Amino acid sequence: MERNAYLINKKIHQYILPSILMTVAMQLGNVVDGMIVGNLLGAEAMAAIEISVPALLLLQMPAMMLAMGGAAEAAVQLGKRELEKANGAFSASLAAGAAISGVFALFAPVLPKPLSYALCGNDALAALAEPYIMVNFAGIPILTIAIIFCYFMNADNHPQLGSALFIIANVVNLALDFIFIKGFHLGMAGSALSTVIGYLAGMVTVAAYFRSKARMLRLCKLDKNAISYAALSAKAGIPSAAFTLMSALKSVIINSAIVRILGNDPMAVYSVCANAVLIAELCVGGVIGLVQNIAGILYGERDYYGIRVLCKRALAYSYFAIVLLMAFFFAFPQAIAGLFGITSGEMLSLCKTALRIFACGFPFYVFNKFLMAYYQTILQAGLSTVVTVLQGFALIVPLTLVGIYLWGIYGVCFMAAFSEAASVLFANAWRILGQKKGRYAPGGVYMLPKVSDEKSLDCSVESNLNEVIAFRERLFSFCKQNGISERDANILGLAVEELAANIVKYGYLDGRKNYMDLNFTIQDDKYMLRIRDDGVPFNPLEYSPKEEGAVTLGGIALIRKMASNFQYMRVLNMNNTVIELNINI
């Protein structure tokens, strides 16, 4: 009757498909968008999109900061059962995102032209980039609201709606690309307009979210605490903002150097390599996304065992996918180049070698991606930002500039791979040094404390009455060993009997073997019993004993009277019931 990973693994497998679908939709949309533009408008148009990336990243920076930071903050608060604070983060993040993006949209008539010329360095590329940037400025409020909703839906029991939003958005986007570019001859403006309309269409999922009875988050009235909630979300989202800002600055410097020193053809080759990162993200981003969707809630619940299981499984799946991707890049680089309209001549030869070199950095990219996501999710924003700055700017930019001067476009790709490896080394050295000096929590790379067996009883119990009774007896023994009074032990035993037995009888209707997690912890001033299962939704606080034919919980009223705190939360599509007893000395 020891703790097992049954429920966590079940959640991983339930969440992994929506997470992968969301990432595939998002990244495949970006990649295929580049392919369509490259094939319909030419390699220079594809290069113009890549050069426009810094402007687009800066536009999306508030959205990503508030979406990822706010969702991480809300997830931890849901894990702690602080619903009011989670609702505050949700409402404030939406309001702040709408306000900031609305201001950006006001500059659509004036900023795109000077920005495009500053980024491109020549008239031909600037003429292509200007309409693309202008439409993105005008449509940024739609993208911002859609992105924020997506991440909060993922954190609030609805990852399938988050993935559906991106799937709908990108299917519509790609369909409209052909219509606007080939049919209406709108050129680069048509490519950007299709993206904006796609995200607007994707927000049909938000209506389904608001109708769902399974959601925990609610929009609340903005009051004097709204600014503090927005600030907490922004603080948790600093790594995302740093990543976006570093990516923008990196793109400005590297793109400008390649165009001005090496020319337009090497820039087109680099655009294909930059899209290779999107392909890598397509393969592993959804799996790493499990960390963002699940770890924050487990961290709030102090389920450190579950976090370790989650992280190890996510890394194992990610490396399996990335090894297959590397093999494809080494074997068929010409196929990848051909997807972007580069099919022959010297550019194809350059592209084949460049892609092979570039792919060598993928394994280190995976670990950097994991560290950034994980540390942000457990609200270690400072350490996540350090990894972000190292990986996204501090190492790659100077190394790439050296590579350009030494080996041209091949140097760019070699230094991209080398900088990923160096980022892993420096980031872990920074963490270890910080842990030794007390700046960061101990506990290795995961920064999690070890739970002493003398203070915690953590078990997974098969869903049958004999197992529940056996756990109750083990709980009594644990209480006796740790000097817990007979009165308190009896209250805890009654809670196990009433609630766990109810799960056995009514929680699962499929007849299959299932488990529930039962955890009893002695904290500084209280005893805490947590019962977690993934059966049918049931809130014992809303149970009325007058209901005939319903669940019979004869002792539930007694438990509520005797417990110092009794809470229920449906998170990760699991029932979490927590009973607390104050320690009377």
Side-chain angles (χ1 to χ4, degrees), residues 324-371:
L324 294 180
L325 181 66
M326 287 180 68
F328 186 82
F329 266 69
F330 281 110
F332 307 108
Q334 67 277 6
I336 298 169
L339 292 173
F340 294 91
I342 299 176
T343 56
S344 61
E346 185 180 352
M347 282 182 68
L348 178 60
S349 178
L350 285 173
C351 214
K352 287 166 62 176
T353 304
L355 283 169
R356 287 180 173 133
I357 298 171
F358 202 86
C360 293
F362 285 171
F364 308 104
Y365 168 82
V366 168
F367 198 66
N368 282 318
K369 180 82 176 174
F370 165 76
L371 292 179

Side-chain angles (χ1 to χ4, degrees), residues 357-555:
I357 298 171
F358 202 86
C360 293
F362 285 171
F364 308 104
Y365 168 82
V366 168
F367 198 66
N368 282 318
K369 180 82 176 174
F370 165 76
L371 292 179
M372 286 186 283
Y374 175 72
Y375 290 139
Q376 181 176 15
T377 302
I378 65 169
L379 303 184
Q380 288 286 344
L383 187 53
S384 180
T385 303
V386 168
V387 180
T388 300
V389 172
L390 284 171
Q391 188 259 1
F393 186 81
L395 293 175
I396 189 171
V397 169
L399 287 172
T400 299
L401 293 177
V402 171
I404 289 174
Y405 281 103
L406 293 179
W407 305 298
I409 191 64
Y410 296 150
V412 173
C413 298
F414 172 77
M415 289 304 185
F418 179 74
S419 68
E420 292 285 355
S423 296
V424 172
L425 178 65
F426 281 106
N428 280 282
W430 182 273
R431 171 187 55 79
I432 293 169
L433 182 62
Q435 287 175 320
K436 288 181 178 179
K437 293 186 176 181
R439 291 199 307 269
Y440 302 127
V445 68
Y446 299 136
M447 300 172 67
L448 299 174
K450 293 182 179 179
V451 179
S452 171
D453 291 335
E454 295 181 355
K455 295 294 183 181
S456 179
L457 179 64
D458 198 14
C459 299
S460 296
V461 176
E462 189 178 342
S463 57
N464 67 65
L465 292 177
N466 291 333
E467 288 280 311
V468 171
I469 293 171
F471 175 82
R472 183 196 63 185
E473 297 305 313
R474 185 171 177 182
L475 176 63
F476 284 154
S477 177
F478 182 86
C479 290
K480 186 174 181 180
Q481 292 170 8
N482 287 277
I484 298 174
S485 70
E486 185 176 348
R487 170 190 175 276
D488 288 345
N490 286 334
I491 296 173
L492 296 165
L494 176 63
V496 169
E497 278 185 52
E498 294 287 353
L499 298 172
N502 169 66
I503 294 167
V504 171
K505 293 179 182 179
Y506 304 100
Y508 297 99
L509 306 176
D510 55 11
R512 298 178 182 177
K513 185 177 181 179
N514 292 285
Y515 286 88
M516 67 187 87
D517 290 340
L518 301 175
N519 176 275
F520 175 65
T521 303
I522 303 173
Q523 298 187 358
D524 293 336
D525 59 349
K526 61 189 174 185
Y527 306 126
M528 179 179 291
L529 175 68
R530 187 187 71 224
I531 302 173
R532 181 168 65 190
D533 71 277
D534 69 336
V536 297
F538 177 73
N539 184 352
L541 298 177
E542 296 178 351
Y543 168 73
S544 172
K546 295 180 181 179
E547 297 175 8
E548 295 184 5
V551 181
T552 301
L553 291 179

Side-chain angles (χ1 to χ4, degrees), residues 278-301:
L278 298 181
I279 296 172
E281 177 72 13
L282 185 152
C283 292
V284 304
V287 182
I288 298 296
L290 288 172
V291 176
Q292 295 170 314
N293 291 341
I294 300 176
I297 288 171
L298 296 180
Y299 189 75
E301 293 179 349

Side-chain angles (χ1 to χ4, degrees), residues 5-335:
Y6 177 85
L7 276 180
I8 299 302
N9 285 334
K10 200 171 178 182
K11 289 299 108 179
I12 289 173
H13 294 139
Q14 286 177 358
Y15 273 64
I16 192 169
L17 182 59
S19 183
I20 288 174
L21 287 176
M22 185 182 87
T23 303
V24 167
M26 183 167 53
Q27 300 304 333
L28 191 60
N30 291 335
V31 172
V32 176
D33 211 24
M35 294 177 186
I36 292 171
V37 170
N39 282 281
L40 294 182
L41 298 178
E44 280 202 345
M46 184 177 66
I49 288 181
E50 177 61 28
I51 290 176
S52 301
V53 163
L56 307 189
L57 288 174
L58 290 175
L59 281 175
Q60 294 174 15
M61 185 170 69
M64 299 307 299
M65 179 173 65
L66 292 165
M68 298 181 73
E73 181 70 28
V76 171
Q77 296 304 332
L78 285 173
K80 292 179 178 179
R81 301 168 304 284
E82 296 282 356
L83 188 56
E84 183 180 343
K85 292 181 180 178
N87 286 336
F90 178 41
S91 304
S93 296
L94 274 172
I100 295 170
S101 61
V103 172
F104 284 164
L106 295 176
F107 288 93
V110 294
L111 278 183
K113 186 171 184 177
L115 267 177
S116 60
Y117 279 90
L119 292 170
C120 295
N122 64 66
D123 292 344
L125 287 179
L128 291 168
E130 182 185 346
Y132 186 77
I133 294 174
M134 181 181 295
V135 175
N136 275 282
F137 257 88
I140 192 59
I142 293 172
L143 271 69
T144 297
I145 297 301
I147 290 169
I148 291 174
F149 264 116
C150 176
Y151 279 90
F152 275 95
M153 289 191 294
N154 287 344
D156 187 23
N157 298 323
H158 291 80
Q160 71 283 0
L161 291 180
S163 64
L165 190 155
F166 276 104
I167 291 170
I168 294 170
N170 284 284
V171 168
V172 172
N173 171 23
L174 298 179
L176 291 179
D177 267 342
F178 281 101
I179 294 171
F180 289 161
I181 296 175
K182 197 169 184 179
F184 295 158
H185 305 290
L186 295 179
M188 296 288 283
S191 176
L193 183 60
S194 65
T195 301
V196 174
I197 295 175
Y199 275 90
L200 183 61
M203 280 202 288
V204 68
T205 59
V206 175
Y209 172 67
F210 278 118
R211 288 196 301 267
S212 172
K213 294 180 180 179
R215 69 186 179 99
M216 299 299 301
L217 295 175
R218 297 288 187 273
L219 289 174
C220 59
K221 185 178 180 181
L222 299 177
D223 55 20
K224 61 182 179 181
N225 295 318
I227 294 177
S228 63
Y229 286 133
L232 285 172
S233 297
K235 181 180 178 182
I238 286 174
S240 300
F243 176 78
T244 306
L245 180 61
M246 295 300 104
S247 298
L249 292 174
K250 176 187 73 175
S251 295
V252 169
I253 295 171
I254 293 177
N255 291 348
S256 298
I258 292 173
V259 168
R260 289 169 171 80
I261 297 171
L262 302 179
N264 286 359
D265 284 355
M267 182 64 221
V269 171
Y270 178 70
S271 297
V272 176
C273 292
N275 275 284
V277 176
L278 298 181
I279 296 172
E281 177 72 13
L282 185 152
C283 292
V284 304
V287 182
I288 298 296
L290 288 172
V291 176
Q292 295 170 314
N293 291 341
I294 300 176
I297 288 171
L298 296 180
Y299 189 75
E301 293 179 349
R302 299 174 59 167
D303 184 1
Y304 305 133
Y305 172 90
I307 291 176
R308 290 188 177 94
V309 169
L310 168 68
C311 292
K312 290 176 182 177
R313 185 62 62 92
L315 283 171
Y317 288 167
S318 296
Y319 276 110
F320 177 77
I322 213 67
V323 167
L324 294 180
L325 181 66
M326 287 180 68
F328 186 82
F329 266 69
F330 281 110
F332 307 108
Q334 67 277 6

